[in-house]
Amino acid sequence: MSGAPNSSSDPRRPNKVARYKPPSQERLDDPTPDYMNLLGMIFSMCGLMMKMKWCAWAAVYCAFISFANSRSSEDTKQMLSSFMLSISAVVMSYLQNPQPMQPPW
Amino acid sequence: MRCAVGTAWLLVLLLLPLVSTVEPQDEFAEFEDNEFAEFEHVIEDEEEEDFLSVETEDEEEEEEAGQEEVPEQVLEADFDDGEADVQVEDDEDEFEQFDDEEFEGFDSERTGRKGRSQDPPDLKITNVPYHLRTSWENFYLEILMIGGLLAYAMNYVAGKTKNHKLASAWLTAHKDLLEANFTSVGDDGQGAEVQSGILMKESEHIYSIWCSGRVCCEGMLVEIKLLKRQDLVSVISRMMRPSSDQVTVTIDLGLSDMDSFVFAVGNKKTIGRLHKDMNDLSLFVPDKRPGEKYGLPSGMAILSESGEVTNAIIDNKMVRVLNNYADMFEFLHISDQFSGPKVKDGDPQPATKMPDTKKTIIFTFNVPGQGRSSVKDVFAMEPMMKLVFHILDKVFRFRLSKEAKTKADKMRLKVEESFLKMTHAQRQEAAQARREERRRAEKDRMMAEEDPDRQRKMEEREYRRDMKKKQPKVKQLKVKMG
């Protein structure tokens, strides 16, 4: 490379072009989507089995937060399935028990 | 829900005639005295009224009428799911005033019914079971939940768009500069041919651009790490703790593009964190120095392996840029032994050999605006990218003096040796484990061997090997005679 950084010398080198390689190591610094996914699944299971409405609603929120924070490389099928599970938990709780939710206070 | 209610009431209608025919007859038989003859008529009317009020299915009318005496027994029988709030006990308490003189030997229920017809103001309105109430006001918590979800969704869309706008603006602002320096700007690795101008979306808040085809380096990855505007939870937590969008530029250098040194400069807090976390900085740099010594603003610190490097990198241009744009500049890390952050303690697999190192230059810049960035803030970051190229060229040209070079090489050897010593025990264990595995595999093979002859032969071989191992190692000395 030329020693003097003058504007006339072109620093580009077409022969040095390298293709992009996505980093093999998954981004470990943000575990939010995975935790939220797991939490959502747990909440929907609780909501379905224990017939607790607030669990089912929390599951929907968790699924949504997980979706918002997810990386593009992640599987959309997983996201969709957790969404569906949480919505089914809400629907089932209301079918079994059509009362409105009681606030704890 | 209305169908369920309808069928329930149908059942009531069907059962009520049975009840009315069965019970009253018995009870009437008991007190056929003329005392209660007057009430017979009243009771029948009441029951008819009940039928009417029940049939309309209109709970408002029922409530207003005040005579919504749904027969308690029937109510209990049909709505036995525990939700019906039927109060038999309350009625009993209420009608104690009608004491036993009048209604000797009667059931209290009977008493209750009669008492009600006489004394309207003392009416106790039975609680209608919940699923008969269909007013929307009772579902306010559900409406709140749905409202929350809608708010989250709207914030998601708004945040996503804003982030995309900022990232595209960055690419537009710096495209000319990048294209002047790199042959390929914006390749995503997909496709047979080299692409250009692609802004890769890693997630809704992280975008990256890969540039390559320049002298002095192998390639450059620009990561635009924006704030999580698409996640309402992050937005709310950011209100407590403001932070800003960042642009991280990572340049991969070739083997001959850089001499051996480790250097970092930047924001004091960040430098302190890097000193602790990064493998190379913690191993090769003993302490940090304040930036003021070299003319930098007071909030900055320097980590350097040798003073020569510092003097070379922190030249006049760098000082000027850092003083003018102190907020935008977060840190710069140049290293020929870069291997990422230190392995955390919780990691189950301690490395048995040194982690791979590569020559890298890392810049991190803050987008001005502290979170409330706009497109023109992004355009203001151009001086930073110019600094990147200036440093890149400087690092390429810089060569350590002889003493510094030997010192650096010695340091690297020392680090390697200490690492090997530390992991010596682990490596031994690993080697032992491998040896055991091999022996076990051999033994298994031996057992599986069907031919008795072959088996014998293998056993002999094993035995001989064991003997050799047990034998003390005799050092053979060649003595030259004469």
Side-chain angles (χ1 to χ4, degrees), chain B residues 336-353:
Chain B
D336 72 315
Q337 297 280 316
F338 181 77
S339 55
K342 270 198 221 173
V343 169
K344 300 256 178 1
D345 286 328
D347 208 325
Q349 282 265 356
T352 47
K353 63 183 186 76

Side-chain angles (χ1 to χ4, degrees), chain A residues 42-59 89-90 92-94 96-97 101:
Chain A
I42 292 173
F43 272 135
S44 16
M45 283 291 121
C46 277
L48 274 170
M49 313 274 180
M50 312 289 181
K51 298 181 193 168
M52 293 196 279
K53 294 201 177 78
W54 62 267
C55 273
W57 283 111
V90 171
M92 288 305 292
S93 312
Y94 279 93
Q96 289 165 350
N97 188 3
M101 264 201 298

